[in-house]
Amino acid sequence: MLFKDYYKILGFETNKVSIEQIKIGFREQAKKYHPDLNDGGTGAEERFKDINEAYRILSNPSTRRKYDRAWNYNIGKPRNKEKNAKNMNSSDTIMGEAFNMFFGSKKEKKKDEPKPKKNAIKGDNVDTGISVTIEEAFFGASKKISLRAVDGSMKNFIVKIPAGIRNGEKIRLIGQGKKGQNGGKNGDLFIQISIENSKKFRIEGCDLFTYLEITPWEAALGTRIKVEGIDGGDMVYIPKGMQSGERIKIQGKGYKDSKGGRGDLVAEVRIIVPKIINDEEIKLYEKLKAISKFTPRQGKSA
């Protein structure tokens, strides 16, 4: 595979150029070879792709450093050797002609010089992300993911989700990034974890939020009821006169924190009125209506 001189593609003869010069060179070359300005020729289109690729590599300090190592080996050093060889050849020619004039010519056999060792270049890292449920994140799980490689093939990975991983944290798979060059190490694969809320739980920091549904008579009379958490239930006391929207907090039953502890479980009360009631229940509600003086609209304007 031929090495592409991205500096030359942007109009430079050396890699000793600033980022501003690279931007100017890119704009000039992109305008010159833009397909819309060049009759749709395939040569201009390929050149335009090379120009964009060159700018992408050279405008990023990280990728430019890696590219410069390869450029120095493929372009810079051979060019310097060629200059030195030209200077030496001119003086050698004069001396050689004088030597041959008196002693005749003599060809010397040169041994093949060893090729310089190429610099090892580490492959680029790859970033991706996956979503997990609150339960998978809390207890730990194994997830299968598939990524498309550079050659178009699909590569499968089994990712182990550690128990208690936090939202936004990354899992690193060493050596599963892009391949290194000239014997360099492969890059790494970084997988960012996104914890999704479920129908039962919602996570905020280290606290878990859920709903606790109760009947109107439980809210009015008070009761003890079981609240289901992520790893088991706990009995809580519902005081008399509990209202919808009020919250009950159970300490230490939330999500895991980074210090080995846990946040809180917060249950929001929802009073559920039955949609279907029998004749006896209707009579009880009518009796309650007749004897109760309570109204939630008292003192409120319509």
Side-chain angles (χ1 to χ4, degrees), residues 92-233:
D92 288 347
T93 300
I94 297 172
M95 294 295 294
E97 289 176 353
F99 181 87
N100 294 337
M101 187 182 298
F102 292 101
F103 302 102
S105 62
K106 183 179 180 181
K107 294 182 180 180
E108 295 182 358
K109 293 183 179 180
K110 293 184 178 180
K111 295 181 179 179
D112 293 336
E113 295 182 1
K115 293 182 179 180
K117 189 177 180 181
K118 294 182 179 180
N119 292 327
I121 302 174
K122 184 184 177 182
D124 291 335
N125 295 330
V126 175
D127 290 282
T128 189
I130 59 172
S131 297
V132 297
T133 65
I134 292 177
E135 289 79 8
E136 287 173 332
F138 184 87
F139 294 106
S142 292
K143 300 278 285 186
K144 182 180 179 181
I145 64 171
S146 299
L147 295 176
R148 190 174 297 279
V150 178
D151 60 2
S153 62
M154 296 301 294
K155 193 172 182 181
N156 298 320
F157 301 90
I158 301 296
V159 182
K160 291 185 177 180
I161 311 297
I165 192 167
R166 305 292 297 279
N167 193 38
E169 287 186 334
K170 292 183 177 183
I171 297 173
R172 179 186 182 189
L173 299 185
I174 298 174
Q176 297 300 325
K178 291 186 178 180
K179 289 185 177 180
Q181 299 179 29
N182 306 329
K185 294 181 179 179
N186 292 346
D188 300 329
L189 175 61
F190 289 90
I191 304 167
Q192 188 171 37
I193 301 300
S194 176
I195 301 177
E196 292 185 336
N197 294 325
S198 64
K199 292 181 179 179
K200 190 172 183 181
F201 297 107
R202 173 170 55 87
I203 186 170
E204 289 185 14
C206 292
D207 293 333
L208 291 178
F209 291 79
T210 189
Y211 291 106
L212 176 61
E213 297 179 342
I214 62 175
T215 64
W217 47 92
E218 287 175 329
L221 303 175
T223 187
R224 287 182 63 82
I225 196 167
K226 189 176 184 180
V227 178
E228 291 294 339
I230 195 169
D231 59 345

Side-chain angles (χ1 to χ4, degrees), residues 6 17 23 33 48 74 84 87 92 106 108 117 123 133 136 146 171 175 177 191 213 236 242-243 246 265 272 285:
Y6 288 148
V17 291
K23 290 180 180 178
Y33 290 99
F48 188 72
N74 288 278
N84 294 334
N87 294 333
D92 288 347
K106 183 179 180 181
E108 295 182 358
K117 189 177 180 181
T133 65
E136 287 173 332
S146 299
I171 297 173
I191 304 167
E213 297 179 342
V236 297
M242 196 72 175
Q243 303 294 313
E246 290 187 314
L265 175 64
I272 307 299
Y285 273 112

Side-chain angles (χ1 to χ4, degrees), residues 289 292-300:
K289 177 182 176 182
S292 178
K293 297 180 180 180
F294 171 74
T295 172
R297 299 171 297 281
Q298 188 173 9
K300 295 181 180 178

